[in-house]
Amino acid sequence: MNVRVLRIELRRSVAPWAGAVVLTSALAFLYVVGAGWGTTAWTAQWTSLALWTRGMLFYLWPLAVGLGALQGMRDHRSKMSELLTSTPRPARHRAATLAGTTAITLASAWALLVLVGGVQVLANTGYTHLGWLPISLVGALSLVAGAVLGMGAGRALPSVLTPPLLAMGAFVFTALMHMSLGRTETTTAEGVSTTEPNQVSLLSPAVQEVRDVLVTLSASVHVGQTIWLLGLAAAGFALLVAATPRTRLIALTPALAGAALALLVLPSDPRRIYVVDEAAADLVCDGPVCVTKTQQARLADLAGPGKEALRLLHGALGSQSPVSVRENAAVLPEGSTPQWSRKTVLFDFDDDIITAAKGEELTWALIAKGMVPGCTPVGWSGAGDGAAQTVAVGWVLGDLRSLPGTTSASLGGGVDAEARPIWKELKALPRAEQLSRINAMRAAALSCEGDVYEALKGGASG
């Protein structure tokens, strides 16, 4: 297909409108509704960008299928089908021109979407890699395959109802893959029931929302989805060329074969679907303070407060104090209990008190994470142990302070009403008794067993 033919096809087809709808609707959703926040925002990291834009295929893919069906009915609407079949030009040439124009337009729209996000990612991170590229390439292929399949179906079933019914059917498919058929119920070690994506869900081009910046799709997922989407595209193209009911039935063979081969390649174990990006999780350190490669640009601002927090913790806890500060790179199942270390202050850049802290406040926030890191199950939201953190930091510093990112800090710096009575009671005790209660509180907090407030008040912590 030369440039002249391409220009003609663009003028007489819905391909430009399909590309415009895909690009504008995706950008509107990403900017107006928002996609992620903090380290998982769609403009924060390359992998997050790729996964969030793939998430848009939840509705972009059905749009591509429906618009493809509308394109496939063009000859029927123009009442030219019989005329075109009488020309010496092979049907596959006409089909290739039709499909190629739409494929180029949709792929260009997808590339522009990724480019808009990529420009912002470049400004927000110093970690550059190519691991995100297969995720985006499969996304572009899914739009093209969906559109070509829709064209073939529109040519085979030329009815005004075909485009909306195909689009609705594709939307129902992605919804079922996301909500029920594509999910498997599992139970964590703590007895909490959750659902995880299964092998069948990977037949949908959309992916689930980004929960952790260190998580990516495995290579087997890319390969399996590529096989499946190529099968769909081949089936759509065969339907475009087919002229009889029998050949149209045979044209569905590539889709069935693609699904069968894809299910053999796609991982059945949920732990092999979304995996940790080991390169991104590698640590970059400044002495005892470490962050993952994805956040290496923030190490300079963290190193000083991190070392100061360790110094203050050592002065308060002695040999029981942590000896390093490290970004938490553990990726645990949703609903599971966090795992903490006695010798390492583990933190997350998306933690409320870390996000809100600046300068000296960052030292306080790291002390809080070293003393009472929090036991809210992974992926859940909760009130946390703000009062216990406030008391623990006050005990280390020798003065009660409102921690950044807490309710008390947002209300003008007043100390939390729950923390002050506990603080006064603790400070009235002999130093040895204070240390005993602090150690009991910290043991309960790090093990996520027992009540940190009861430990501070001198009661049983377990």
Side-chain angles (χ1 to χ4, degrees), residues 52-420:
W52 275 117
T53 49
R54 277 285 297 275
M56 297 296 98
L57 292 174
F58 181 81
Y59 73 90
L60 291 180
W61 190 69
L63 276 177
V65 173
L67 290 169
L70 187 62
Q71 176 81 317
M73 292 170 53
R74 185 183 66 183
D75 295 343
H76 177 78
R77 294 195 309 271
S78 304
K79 298 180 173 31
M80 294 177 59
S81 299
E82 292 184 6
L83 175 62
L84 291 173
T85 54
S86 65
T87 62
R89 189 183 184 192
R92 64 180 180 275
H93 288 182
R94 295 195 304 272
T97 301
L98 184 67
T101 303
T102 304
I104 291 172
T105 306
L106 288 174
S108 299
W110 183 260
L112 284 173
L113 174 64
V114 174
L115 179 62
V116 170
V119 170
Q120 298 172 80
V121 172
L122 281 174
N124 292 331
T125 183
Y127 178 59
T128 303
H129 62 104
L130 295 178
W132 62 275
L133 197 54
I135 304 174
S136 291
L137 290 176
V138 172
L141 176 60
S142 68
L143 285 178
V144 172
V148 175
L149 181 65
M151 288 180 208
R155 176 70 63 85
L157 302 169
S159 166
V160 293
L161 296 177
T162 299
L165 287 178
L166 276 178
M168 183 57 67
F171 180 76
V172 170
F173 173 76
T174 57
L176 289 175
M177 292 299 99
H178 184 72
M179 294 186 298
S180 56
L181 293 180
R183 310 288 295 186
T184 301
E185 185 171 336
T186 59
T187 303
T188 66
E190 294 77 16
V192 179
S193 294
T194 61
T195 61
E196 294 179 320
N198 59 28
Q199 187 180 29
V200 177
S201 71
L202 299 176
L203 296 179
S204 169
V207 298
Q208 66 182 11
E209 65 183 21
V210 184
R211 187 169 61 85
D212 195 297
V213 70
L214 300 178
V215 170
T216 187
L217 290 170
S218 64
S220 57
V221 172
H222 302 322
V223 175
Q225 289 183 330
T226 299
I227 293 172
W228 161 237
L229 292 170
L230 288 175
L232 287 184
F237 188 82
L239 284 172
L240 272 175
V241 177
T244 65
R246 182 184 177 187
T247 54
R248 286 167 185 160
L249 284 175
I250 296 174
L252 298 176
T253 303
L256 298 176
L261 289 174
L263 290 174
L264 292 176
V265 175
L266 293 170
S268 57
D269 185 351
R271 293 170 296 182
R272 292 176 51 230
I273 297 176
Y274 290 92
V275 297
V276 176
D277 185 342
E278 299 293 346
D282 281 346
L283 296 178
V284 180
C285 300
D286 182 344
V289 181
C290 301
V291 298
T292 62
K293 271 192 176 180
T294 59
Q295 304 298 332
Q296 58 188 0
R298 305 171 75 166
L299 179 59
D301 294 332
L302 182 74
K307 294 173 183 177
E308 178 64 10
L310 291 176
R311 186 188 69 80
L312 292 170
L313 284 168
H314 181 74
L317 299 173
S319 61
Q320 298 297 314
S321 67
V323 295
S324 62
V325 173
R326 191 179 77 222
E327 181 185 357
N328 192 0
V331 178
L332 302 175
E334 187 171 1
S336 59
T337 301
Q339 298 176 1
W340 306 115
S341 168
R342 182 176 293 275
K343 289 299 182 181
T344 301
V345 177
L346 296 172
F347 72 95
D348 192 316
F349 280 109
D350 287 334
D351 189 282
D352 288 342
I353 62 173
I354 298 293
T355 301
K358 303 294 181 184
E360 185 182 30
E361 290 182 342
L362 186 53
T363 299
W364 307 349
L366 291 172
I367 293 174
K369 297 302 292 182
M371 298 291 282
V372 187
C375 291
T376 302
V378 175
W380 294 16
S381 59
D385 300 314
Q389 286 180 329
T390 300
V391 172
V393 174
W395 183 80
V396 172
L397 298 176
D399 184 23
L400 202 60
R401 313 282 178 89
S402 294
L403 293 177
T406 61
T407 303
S408 58
S410 63
L411 294 177
V415 176
D416 190 280
E418 187 180 2
R420 186 173 292 278

